[in-house]
Amino acid sequence: MMKRQWVLPRIAKKVAVMLTAVLLLTLTNGFNWNTQMTEAAGTTPVERYGQLSVKNGKLVDKNGKPVQLKGISSHGVQWYGDLINEDSMKWLRDDWGISLFRVALYTKEDGYISNPSLKDKVKEAIEAAQKLGLYVIIDWHILSDGDPNIYKNEAKAFFNEFATQYGHLPNVIYELANEPNGKVNWDNQIRPYALEVSQVIRAKDPDNIIIAGTGTWSQDVHDAANNPLPDKNTMYTVHFYAGTHGQYLRDRIDNALNKGVGVFVTEWGTSDASGDGGPFLNESKVWTDFMASRGISWANWSLADKEEVSAALLPEADRKGGWPDSQLSASGKFVKQAILEDTSNHGDGSGIVLQYRTADTNNKDNAIRPVFNIKNTGKAAVKLSDLKIRYYYTDESKQAQQFFLDWAKIGNGKVTATFVTLPNPKAKADKYVEISFTDAAGSIQPGEESGEIKSRIHAVNWSNFDEANDYSYGADQTAFADWDHATVYNQGKLVWGIQP
């Protein structure tokens, strides 16, 4: 900052003295100026977002604006409870940028059922989160006891106690059953359990978010979407591990979102489903991009220094935070960066869905023929001139590109395009075509669509492409379907799709 010299009036002199004192504190006591200023300015996550609720399947803040929370889950409090404390959570807030902490209270595995005093660690986490302005998930972590009804009475008593004691706080989130599994399904076992426990919570806490687990280790969200709970502020969890779970599970999530059901990923890992293969960081990036594009909140597994891939810390890491990158695992470094990434361009709830089909299944000829349709699933009209579609591909010709519009329902003269070479080429993309719309294209009303936009791309020398190597190309996609390998931007903000 440039310095100026002037004569200070009396008040300014007092301010100068105070700033000098702060500077001395900084030099002598390690005072964290940035943290204190953040807290004084009212910018902790809870101060920013306040009371959460669910609106049209989206998690929204006190002003009804969609919000994506990102954070980390503890491992079992019976094993790694010493990593759960105000100091470590403060470090995660200030250094990693978390807005969410999940505290995992196992029921079995030497957990709560055999040692009820473990709930005191959950209370410690809640009270630390309250002080730090973080959201906190109270996770009733069933696992080997696959049917949540086995300890339903204990669950009801537990959630009654916690809703009574903490339900007045705006930062508490209740996760009713971590991973139902085995011979249980949504309609017969999980939904009746969730309904009964939810009613216990709602008797004491009418407002805070409830999250229901789903079948097959919380992967059967499609079943919940077909028969959701009546409570308007309930969401449904999906758990994934990047080395095991892929596109089929993202399709299930999109199916649920398209039905207006809220999804919250309360646990995911960079490893395979065992917690100890990998890390699969490329696959993890696909998932974090997907969740960002949909505005899905998440907690990574896990805050532990266990010798397994999914643990964020290396063995013997400090118990109270302050971890340099040298104390983070490969997974921990990846997750920290994923949390720190700006999500302001994602999940803004515009309700835009891009559909795609290919008009040419010959992937070795001289034309790329993507066909698009834009759907508005939101509640407000969207101006087409605010939208841009990006289709990503590899340009084998290294020539200038030509764009032709074969037909558009809105009118050919209302569609334009430009070509952009990626400054950092990807494995299946070094270029994209960006399709734009003029003001004359008008708007898409809620529940309506743009209609077909049939485009064609050639190199100026009419040489052949190899579309098999193109990120956005779908060889078998001959009928319109939702397509997340092309992206849509609304006024410059990513609202649909996953970038390569």
Side-chain angles (χ1 to χ4, degrees), residues 148-159:
N149 292 285
I150 293 173
Y151 296 113
K152 180 178 68 176
N153 290 335
E154 289 85 350
K156 290 168 67 175
F158 173 85
F159 282 111

Side-chain angles (χ1 to χ4, degrees), residues 68 287-296 298 343 346-347 494:
Q68 184 194 24
W287 269 107
T288 55
D289 284 349
F290 171 82
M291 292 186 287
S293 71
R294 307 300 194 266
I296 296 172
W298 55 258
T343 60
H346 303 298
L494 179 65

